[in-house]
Amino acid sequence: MKRLTCFFICFFLSEVSGFEIPINGLSEFVDYEDLVELAPGKFQLVAENRRYQRSLPGESEEMMEEVDQVTLYSYKVQSTITSRMATTMIQSKVVNNSPQPQNVVFDVQIPKGAFISNFSMTVDGKTFRSSIKEKTVGRALYAQARAKGKTAGLVRSSALDMENFRTEVNVLPGAKVQFELHYQEVKWRKLGSYEHRIYLQPGRLAKHLEVDVWVIEPQGLRFLHVPDTFEGHFDGVPVISKGQQKAHVSFKPTVAQQRICPNCRETAVDGELVVLYDVKREEKAGELEVFNGYFVHFFAPDNLDPIPKNILFVIDVSGSMWGVKMKQTVEAMKTILDDLRAEDHFSVIDFNQNIRTWRNDLISATKTQVADAKRYIEKIQPSGGTNINEALLRAIFILNEANNLGLLDPNSVSLIILVSDGDPTVGELKLSKIQKNVKENIQDNISLFSLGMGFDVDYDFLKRLSNENHGIAQRIYGNQDTSSQLKKFYNQVSTPLLRNVQFNYPHTSVTDVTQNNFHNYFGGSEIVVAGKFDPAKLDQIESVITATSANTQLVLETLAQMDDLQDFLSKDKHADPDFTRKLWAYLTINQLLAERGPVLRQQSGSRFHPVLGQSFTNARDLHAGTRISVENDPHFIIYLPKSQKNICFNIDSEPGKILNLVSDPESGIVVNGQLVGAKKPNNGKLSTYFGKLGFYFQSEDIKIEISTETITLSHGSSTFSLSWSDTAQVTNQRVQISVKKEKVVTITLDKEMSFSVLLHRVWKKHPVNVDFLGIYIPPTNKFSPKAHGLIGQFMQEPKIHIFNERPGKDPEKPEASMEVKGQKLIITRGLQKDYRTDLVFGTDVTCWFVHNSGKGFIDGHYKDYFVPQLYSFLKRP
């Protein structure tokens, strides 16, 4: 196999901090004063952390308005799609109109899977260009540039099906900056059309805002449509010009049209411009396009009878699916089951830490059986952990056994649809092992499709799982209509039309063909194959496609001449004459990435690998085991899943004291917290908070110190520091640390154990309060039985009995008795705050409060948990 080099972009500006360039202006930046009045807090192109004030006309000097310092002069996007190969350019021109130097940020979103081909930046006429480096080299150069105070940029992932490209540069007062980014992607056919999305978020009004999309399809355009994605605000603004094989979409709103309301200073341009289209298909053998030593074969036959299918629905019903997510999943499944045809066979598996099946065998999709399956799904009550490994192996076993016993129609297609919202928390936890187990057990004629629910799911894992087993993965977001998204995905994969699709190009001069065995073809999609050939030996390409339809074996042949496409491309200035080579390269790289899979995730060599700008989350199921959080002064919240109760207690101690939270000598893990005091007592009491947390992973010799100012990592004699103003990810062997700017640090060990540290900022001039940290530990079974500490002792859940609930002194806070650890305690029910989903206001959590610093609930006295150093193990009496 060819050696794959994984690339990412870095650009380095050696003179950014001290530009000595005359500021005599660029002609295209004149006349921008009317765009100065902008809305704070809404921008992607912003100057960070600095603002200035100016008087408004006709107002006294006391009436001042806060104004952003950076003006957006122009924002242009140009996309050209030639035979599904899309090339997009985003250009932004900005001006620093403040009296101070500013850090100007260029932050745009591009589709996941797109390849960045170029990035450049021009500051007052001086151009700096990006360079593309092999991953390990690029990371090293990036770290060096940051250490020397230079500016560097790279691609980072975001929560949706887009990726952020972000970089920044420090510019002098009055300076003009132009950013220009180019990226390429292939348009895949889904549900009968191609979809081209351009994310527009200029962040502010632009003097000139222009978007142009050119579509050039030699096959001919069947339709082209621009749906309204801006809720009618730009009705009539997009202009569409369409011919037989070409189309142009223009979106050029004036400044007045950009305003969210007639007198508003905010822009309404914040969303996606979407172009939907499809091409004409006259040949069942597909369209074969040949040019410049490369060919591309598009195959999407229609008017075929559906093939019967054998389908296993594998549904995650763990605790984190509770609520709206589960309700919408049930509603979608009821509609999906109604779409099954009588010749289809199916069953339903639902799983948490346990695996259940509606039927142990595949059942014919009669109306009676479908109705029974719907009643079964309606009764599901989410709870517990997530055992993905056993659930998938059960589904594979059912399909394999039915096939081995000859119970399946030989002309049918078998598929598994996995619906899950979390990482595994029960059973096999190692993702690579789950992949291996599935691959070793699944038969080659089974396709595995995955739906990742929500923002915390490990979507990369699901993609690898599906790609390795002839399927695809889709992410569904909790902030959108889950039901409609699930049904849309199902419709995409529910109509198999062909089995065992194989492509053959007989001539020996044809080489490097991508993926020549696609197993199954589903209606509304498209198979794309590309390859190389020697133009000196061939002026035409012959293809032979074999496949099995519902009733017959098909053999489809086609022949393509190079001259036909060459004549067409030469007549259009927007057509990309290099599209065949680019498309072949795109498919080849993706194929190699899929083949290498998890290898790309391994880290080796240097001690720390910083990837600034990349966000990371690794949430576990909330109801899988003991869940612990510590907030405020400090409040401990212990969730006990067996009792399904939250137990809370406070620790009232002194500033400077270090408390042991987790001490596990067998696993070699320590978590300690140092207290910091409020600025002064409030009502006679000085509140204390965690101002510093220390994590020690002994076997890795890694120490992590997190304060309200910095995050410091030590490995032997090496030290690496990050700021809360960064968004970053650092990996060292088994330990991964990610920082989400001014919000949260997540520490993960082997993806099996994680800790989240939340930053709480307060007003710096507050007379009492200070910045502090909160810590959350998701449920895990990876601590040893010897784990202890203020919260470590609860990794082994104690048995509790709460009884005799009665009115308390406060009518809103009832009292009760609790038996725990051989003691009887008086407890009070009240509310505490969980800040994971709402960092500012928090979410109210009902819990039973243990008084006197947890006495009776914790082992011993809280002072028994004092330790001398931030990385000290707890010495138990």
Side-chain angles (χ1 to χ4, degrees), residues 768-789:
V768 178
N769 296 339
V770 295
D771 295 345
F772 66 95
L773 304 172
I775 179 172
Y776 292 80
I777 305 178
T780 179
N781 58 3
K782 293 304 176 181
F783 287 106
S784 78
K786 294 183 178 180
H788 208 262

Side-chain angles (χ1 to χ4, degrees), residues 312-316 333 347-351 388 391-392 394-396 416-420 448:
L312 262 295
F313 298 98
V314 182
I315 305 172
D316 182 349
M333 283 301 305
S347 188
V348 178
I349 295 174
D350 59 299
F351 70 96
I388 294 178
L392 287 175
R394 178 73 63 84
I396 293 168
I416 297 170
I417 295 183
L418 168 67
V419 181
S420 178
L448 171 59

Side-chain angles (χ1 to χ4, degrees), residues 4-17:
L4 173 66
T5 305
C6 184
F7 297 103
F8 81 129
I9 281 189
C10 288
F11 77 93
F12 307 100
L13 308 181
S14 58
E15 301 173 355
V16 164
S17 58

Side-chain angles (χ1 to χ4, degrees), residues 587-649:
L587 295 177
T588 300
I589 291 172
N590 274 298
Q591 180 179 330
L592 292 173
L593 285 170
E595 290 173 358
R596 291 194 56 163
V599 177
L600 297 177
R601 301 168 64 87
Q602 297 175 1
Q603 306 286 352
S604 60
S606 59
R607 295 180 182 268
F608 290 115
H609 302 285
V611 187
L612 285 141
Q614 186 173 38
S615 61
F616 171 83
T617 57
N618 189 12
R620 301 284 184 178
D621 288 326
L622 300 184
H623 301 279
T626 305
R627 180 177 73 250
I628 298 169
S629 62
V630 186
E631 285 285 4
N632 290 334
D633 57 342
H635 301 310
F636 290 72
I637 305 176
I638 313 295
Y639 172 74
L640 303 176
K642 293 179 182 178
S643 305
Q644 296 189 350
K645 302 292 184 183
N646 286 309
I647 309 298
C648 304
F649 60 91

Side-chain angles (χ1 to χ4, degrees), residues 295 491 736:
F295 70 87
N491 289 337
Q736 187 175 54

Side-chain angles (χ1 to χ4, degrees), residues 120-180:
S120 64
M121 182 170 61
T122 301
V123 182
D124 277 344
K126 187 170 184 178
T127 299
F128 301 87
R129 300 191 182 279
S130 63
S131 60
I132 298 178
K133 302 294 183 182
E134 193 271 337
K135 182 169 61 175
T136 54
V137 176
R139 282 178 170 169
L141 291 174
Y142 179 78
Q144 293 172 17
R146 293 286 295 187
K148 294 178 181 179
K150 300 178 181 180
T151 299
L154 51 87
V155 177
R156 66 175 182 181
S157 294
S158 68
L160 303 177
D161 277 341
M162 305 289 281
E163 291 187 353
N164 282 358
F165 179 89
R166 174 187 169 94
T167 189
E168 65 182 84
V169 62
N170 188 270
V171 295
L172 295 177
K176 292 86 177 174
V177 184
Q178 174 180 299
F179 300 96
E180 189 167 300

Side-chain angles (χ1 to χ4, degrees), residues 33 89 116 140 170 254 333 607 666 689 815 863 866 877:
E33 289 80 2
M89 181 275 291
I116 292 175
N170 188 270
T254 64
M333 283 301 305
R607 295 180 182 268
E666 189 170 300
Y689 312 86
E815 290 183 351
K863 291 184 178 179
F866 288 162

